[in-house]
Amino acid sequence: MLQLGVNIDHVATLRQARYKTPVRGDQPEPDPVAAAREVEAAGAHGITVHLREDRRHIHDRDVFLLRKTIRTRLNLEMADVPEIVAIAEKLRPDEVCLVPEKRAEVTTEGGLNVAGKSLPRTIARLKKAGILVSLFIDPDPTQIRAAAASGAQFIELHTGGYSRDPRQLKKLIAAAELAHRLGLRVNAGHGLNYQNTPGILAVPHLETLNTGHAIICRAVFVGLRQAVREMLALMRP
Ligand code: PXP
């Protein structure tokens, strides 16, 4: 059964919009930890957060509290940089998704270049800590072959291209087939919404869709539980 990981970064984005530098007496809200409880109550299968180097939304406090409180799976998106790798080893999320990170971007833009020098060492360190490792990559055969050689167990196929041009679905299907043949497990995410998620069900071997922006936007109008339930309903063929 296809699973849903809900990215709750934007809940923290909203908190930071008001409470970037909290002063005494502030009770910063909304709390992503409370949002995770709602997401789980609605039946989602996991919580995804991106601890960025600049801490623009999710903070260290959030990830450590989530680790203690959630009952589903914790997927930590992160860049391959020493500070965050050390945090991941301490945190021990169920899964890490390694992503490229640029300070100037609004959200993760492209997939990872798996040929990066420190990647195999980082993957080995994370696996040694008992963490499943996923690589966020474009549906590109060269990257998929490199991912298969890297030691990572999963790839997360970048669906941003598909979200802008549904004709790219063919690329995702071919990429998932190749990844599966090479022994990789396959997730997907980025730019998925209530319109384009049904189309993604044509991609074989998918285990988890990681979706954030569309669900948090819908939640503004119908509440988080309902927004998650509606997305889950769309994921059932
Ligand atoms: N997967 C990865 C690796 C991401 O970086 C993001 C965005 O943080 C998502 C999934 C979720 O994308 P969206 O917010 O567009 O649903």
Side-chain angles (χ1 to χ4, degrees):
M1 187 181 73
L2 185 58
Q3 307 218 317
L4 175 63
V6 178
N7 181 314
I8 56 169
D9 291 350
H10 287 330
V11 177
T13 301
L14 194 54
R15 175 189 62 191
Q16 296 314 109
R18 171 60 63 96
Y19 296 104
K20 196 162 186 189
T21 42
V23 295
R24 228 177 135 82
D26 277 348
Q27 294 189 330
E29 61 180 6
D31 185 351
V33 178
R37 278 200 292 276
E38 292 296 294
V39 165
E40 289 189 320
H45 307 92
I47 304 295
T48 294
V49 282
H50 186 169
L51 185 67
R52 296 184 78 102
E53 272 188 282
D54 62 9
R55 308 300 199 273
R56 70 170 71 155
H57 39 55
I58 291 292
H59 289 181
D60 301 47
R61 166 264 182 209
D62 302 325
V63 293
F64 282 96
L65 259 180
L66 285 167
R67 173 71 296 180
K68 275 201 206 127
T69 53
I70 69 170
R71 283 165 292 137
T72 58
R73 304 169 58 74
L74 181 62
N75 173 31
L76 180 72
E77 293 175 0
M78 54 174 265
D80 175 20
V81 293
E83 184 213 357
I84 308 284
V85 173
I87 290 173
E89 284 178 316
K90 216 164 112 197
L91 177 70
R92 293 183 184 243
D94 298 280
E95 184 176 327
V96 151
C97 183
L98 291 168
V99 301
E101 196 175 292
K102 294 188 210 130
R103 287 199 178 223
E105 69 192 358
V106 174
T107 179
T108 315
E109 283 165 0
L112 202 61
N113 180 8
V114 184
K117 279 199 191 85
S118 63
L119 215 52
R121 217 172 339 119
T122 300
I123 293 168
R125 267 177 72 177
L126 295 169
K127 284 170 73 177
K128 199 165 163 216
I131 304 165
L132 288 167
V133 181
S134 179
L135 306 177
F136 184 54
I137 56 174
D138 291 322
D140 166 353
T142 308
Q143 295 299 336
I144 291 163
R145 288 200 181 88
S150 74
Q153 296 102 327
F154 278 88
I155 55 166
E156 178 170 326
L157 286 172
H158 191 324
T159 49
Y162 160 76
S163 73
R164 286 186 293 272
D165 176 6
R167 286 171 302 182
Q168 294 208 13
L169 184 65
K170 278 193 226 130
K171 266 193 188 174
L172 290 169
I173 293 173
E177 277 165 354
L178 174 61
H180 182 71
R181 267 205 308 284
L182 296 175
L184 288 162
R185 298 170 71 182
V186 186
N187 297 330
H190 208 283
L192 295 177
N193 58 34
Y194 294 86
Q195 286 74 44
N196 62 26
T197 292
I200 215 78
L201 305 186
V203 178
H205 313 300
L206 286 180
E207 296 194 24
T208 298
L209 299 181
N210 285 307
T211 302
H213 185 82
I215 293 175
I216 304 303
C217 291
R218 179 95 183 119
V220 171
F221 299 102
V222 301
L224 195 44
R225 283 193 200 199
Q226 179 65 13
V228 171
R229 283 192 195 114
E230 288 177 13
M231 184 55 79
L232 283 167
L234 287 176
M235 288 165 56
R236 303 287 156 259

mmCIF file of all heavy atoms in Angstrom, residues 205-222:
data_model
loop_
_atom_site.group_PDB
_atom_site.id
_atom_site.type_symbol
_atom_site.label_atom_id
_atom_site.label_comp_id
_atom_site.label_asym_id
_atom_site.label_seq_id
_atom_site.Cartn_x
_atom_site.Cartn_y
_atom_site.Cartn_z
ATOM 1 N N HIS A 205 6.348 0.499 -8.255
ATOM 2 C CA HIS A 205 7.295 0.268 -7.144
ATOM 3 C C HIS A 205 7.356 1.378 -6.100
ATOM 4 O O HIS A 205 8.237 1.377 -5.263
ATOM 5 C CB HIS A 205 8.726 0.014 -7.673
ATOM 6 C CG HIS A 205 8.794 -0.965 -8.797
ATOM 7 N ND1 HIS A 205 8.353 -2.266 -8.665
ATOM 8 C CD2 HIS A 205 9.211 -0.823 -10.083
ATOM 9 C CE1 HIS A 205 8.508 -2.886 -9.827
ATOM 10 N NE2 HIS A 205 9.018 -2.042 -10.700
ATOM 11 N N LEU A 206 6.436 2.330 -6.138
ATOM 12 C CA LEU A 206 6.498 3.428 -5.168
ATOM 13 C C LEU A 206 6.105 2.930 -3.774
ATOM 14 O O LEU A 206 5.121 2.213 -3.623
ATOM 15 C CB LEU A 206 5.541 4.557 -5.561
ATOM 16 C CG LEU A 206 5.942 5.445 -6.726
ATOM 17 C CD1 LEU A 206 4.868 6.503 -6.954
ATOM 18 C CD2 LEU A 206 7.295 6.097 -6.472
ATOM 19 N N GLU A 207 6.851 3.352 -2.779
ATOM 20 C CA GLU A 207 6.505 3.001 -1.391
ATOM 21 C C GLU A 207 5.887 4.184 -0.655
ATOM 22 O O GLU A 207 4.881 4.036 0.014
ATOM 23 C CB GLU A 207 7.751 2.500 -0.646
ATOM 24 C CG GLU A 207 8.283 1.206 -1.259
ATOM 25 C CD GLU A 207 9.277 0.491 -0.383
ATOM 26 O OE1 GLU A 207 9.281 0.671 0.850
ATOM 27 O OE2 GLU A 207 10.090 -0.274 -0.949
ATOM 28 N N THR A 208 6.515 5.353 -0.752
ATOM 29 C CA THR A 208 6.018 6.524 -0.006
ATOM 30 C C THR A 208 6.033 7.774 -0.888
ATOM 31 O O THR A 208 6.987 7.997 -1.629
ATOM 32 C CB THR A 208 6.910 6.779 1.242
ATOM 33 O OG1 THR A 208 6.832 5.650 2.103
ATOM 34 C CG2 THR A 208 6.466 8.009 2.018
ATOM 35 N N LEU A 209 4.978 8.566 -0.776
ATOM 36 C CA LEU A 209 4.969 9.912 -1.359
ATOM 37 C C LEU A 209 5.191 10.900 -0.217
ATOM 38 O O LEU A 209 4.494 10.836 0.798
ATOM 39 C CB LEU A 209 3.621 10.223 -2.025
ATOM 40 C CG LEU A 209 3.188 9.339 -3.187
ATOM 41 C CD1 LEU A 209 1.837 9.824 -3.740
ATOM 42 C CD2 LEU A 209 4.237 9.313 -4.308
ATOM 43 N N ASN A 210 6.150 11.790 -0.369
ATOM 44 C CA ASN A 210 6.373 12.841 0.619
ATOM 45 C C ASN A 210 5.806 14.150 0.087
ATOM 46 O O ASN A 210 6.287 14.671 -0.912
ATOM 47 C CB ASN A 210 7.872 12.991 0.908
ATOM 48 C CG ASN A 210 8.373 11.860 1.784
ATOM 49 O OD1 ASN A 210 7.805 11.603 2.855
ATOM 50 N ND2 ASN A 210 9.387 11.154 1.340
ATOM 51 N N THR A 211 4.783 14.629 0.772
ATOM 52 C CA THR A 211 4.058 15.806 0.288
ATOM 53 C C THR A 211 3.893 16.811 1.418
ATOM 54 O O THR A 211 3.544 16.431 2.540
ATOM 55 C CB THR A 211 2.671 15.377 -0.247
ATOM 56 O OG1 THR A 211 2.875 14.420 -1.278
ATOM 57 C CG2 THR A 211 1.896 16.552 -0.806
ATOM 58 N N GLY A 212 4.152 18.077 1.109
ATOM 59 C CA GLY A 212 4.058 19.098 2.144
ATOM 60 C C GLY A 212 3.189 20.267 1.765
ATOM 61 O O GLY A 212 2.075 20.441 2.274
ATOM 62 N N HIS A 213 3.691 21.074 0.835
ATOM 63 C CA HIS A 213 3.078 22.378 0.540
ATOM 64 C C HIS A 213 1.570 22.291 0.294
ATOM 65 O O HIS A 213 0.789 23.025 0.915
ATOM 66 C CB HIS A 213 3.787 22.989 -0.676
ATOM 67 C CG HIS A 213 3.344 24.366 -0.995
ATOM 68 N ND1 HIS A 213 3.833 25.475 -0.353
ATOM 69 C CD2 HIS A 213 2.424 24.817 -1.872
ATOM 70 C CE1 HIS A 213 3.248 26.555 -0.826
ATOM 71 N NE2 HIS A 213 2.386 26.189 -1.756
ATOM 72 N N ALA A 214 1.158 21.385 -0.579
ATOM 73 C CA ALA A 214 -0.266 21.321 -0.953
ATOM 74 C C ALA A 214 -1.133 20.972 0.263
ATOM 75 O O ALA A 214 -2.227 21.523 0.431
ATOM 76 C CB ALA A 214 -0.468 20.291 -2.068
ATOM 77 N N ILE A 215 -0.636 20.080 1.099
ATOM 78 C CA ILE A 215 -1.433 19.648 2.260
ATOM 79 C C ILE A 215 -1.556 20.788 3.275
ATOM 80 O O ILE A 215 -2.644 21.056 3.804
ATOM 81 C CB ILE A 215 -0.827 18.379 2.903
ATOM 82 C CG1 ILE A 215 -0.970 17.199 1.942
ATOM 83 C CG2 ILE A 215 -1.469 18.081 4.264
ATOM 84 C CD1 ILE A 215 -0.313 15.909 2.405
ATOM 85 N N ILE A 216 -0.458 21.492 3.512
ATOM 86 C CA ILE A 216 -0.518 22.588 4.492
ATOM 87 C C ILE A 216 -1.400 23.724 3.953
ATOM 88 O O ILE A 216 -2.155 24.361 4.698
ATOM 89 C CB ILE A 216 0.903 23.086 4.864
ATOM 90 C CG1 ILE A 216 1.769 21.912 5.386
ATOM 91 C CG2 ILE A 216 0.844 24.218 5.885
ATOM 92 C CD1 ILE A 216 1.218 21.152 6.582
ATOM 93 N N CYS A 217 -1.334 23.961 2.636
ATOM 94 C CA CYS A 217 -2.204 24.996 2.038
ATOM 95 C C CYS A 217 -3.679 24.611 2.182
ATOM 96 O O CYS A 217 -4.508 25.440 2.557
ATOM 97 C CB CYS A 217 -1.882 25.179 0.555
ATOM 98 S SG CYS A 217 -0.282 25.920 0.291
ATOM 99 N N ARG A 218 -3.999 23.380 1.876
ATOM 100 C CA ARG A 218 -5.393 22.915 1.986
ATOM 101 C C ARG A 218 -5.858 22.997 3.444
ATOM 102 O O ARG A 218 -7.017 23.310 3.731
ATOM 103 C CB ARG A 218 -5.484 21.474 1.461
ATOM 104 C CG ARG A 218 -6.854 20.861 1.525
ATOM 105 C CD ARG A 218 -7.616 21.011 0.237
ATOM 106 N NE ARG A 218 -8.962 20.474 0.351
ATOM 107 C CZ ARG A 218 -10.061 21.200 0.180
ATOM 108 N NH1 ARG A 218 -10.001 22.462 -0.167
ATOM 109 N NH2 ARG A 218 -11.251 20.655 0.304
ATOM 110 N N ALA A 219 -4.934 22.736 4.353
ATOM 111 C CA ALA A 219 -5.276 22.746 5.784
ATOM 112 C C ALA A 219 -5.761 24.118 6.236
ATOM 113 O O ALA A 219 -6.562 24.220 7.167
ATOM 114 C CB ALA A 219 -4.070 22.309 6.610
ATOM 115 N N VAL A 220 -5.299 25.171 5.584
ATOM 116 C CA VAL A 220 -5.748 26.528 5.951
ATOM 117 C C VAL A 220 -7.270 26.619 5.823
ATOM 118 O O VAL A 220 -7.938 27.281 6.606
ATOM 119 C CB VAL A 220 -5.057 27.581 5.048
ATOM 120 C CG1 VAL A 220 -5.663 28.965 5.251
ATOM 121 C CG2 VAL A 220 -3.553 27.604 5.306
ATOM 122 N N PHE A 221 -7.820 25.893 4.847
ATOM 123 C CA PHE A 221 -9.262 25.982 4.589
ATOM 124 C C PHE A 221 -10.084 24.882 5.263
ATOM 125 O O PHE A 221 -11.215 25.111 5.664
ATOM 126 C CB PHE A 221 -9.522 25.970 3.070
ATOM 127 C CG PHE A 221 -8.876 27.137 2.382
ATOM 128 C CD1 PHE A 221 -7.694 26.984 1.684
ATOM 129 C CD2 PHE A 221 -9.422 28.411 2.487
ATOM 130 C CE1 PHE A 221 -7.075 28.068 1.079
ATOM 131 C CE2 PHE A 221 -8.810 29.502 1.888
ATOM 132 C CZ PHE A 221 -7.633 29.333 1.184
ATOM 133 N N VAL A 222 -9.507 23.678 5.366
ATOM 134 C CA VAL A 222 -10.331 22.561 5.865
ATOM 135 C C VAL A 222 -9.771 21.926 7.136
ATOM 136 O O VAL A 222 -10.381 21.014 7.683
ATOM 137 C CB VAL A 222 -10.506 21.461 4.772
ATOM 138 C CG1 VAL A 222 -11.168 22.024 3.528
ATOM 139 C CG2 VAL A 222 -9.183 20.782 4.431
#
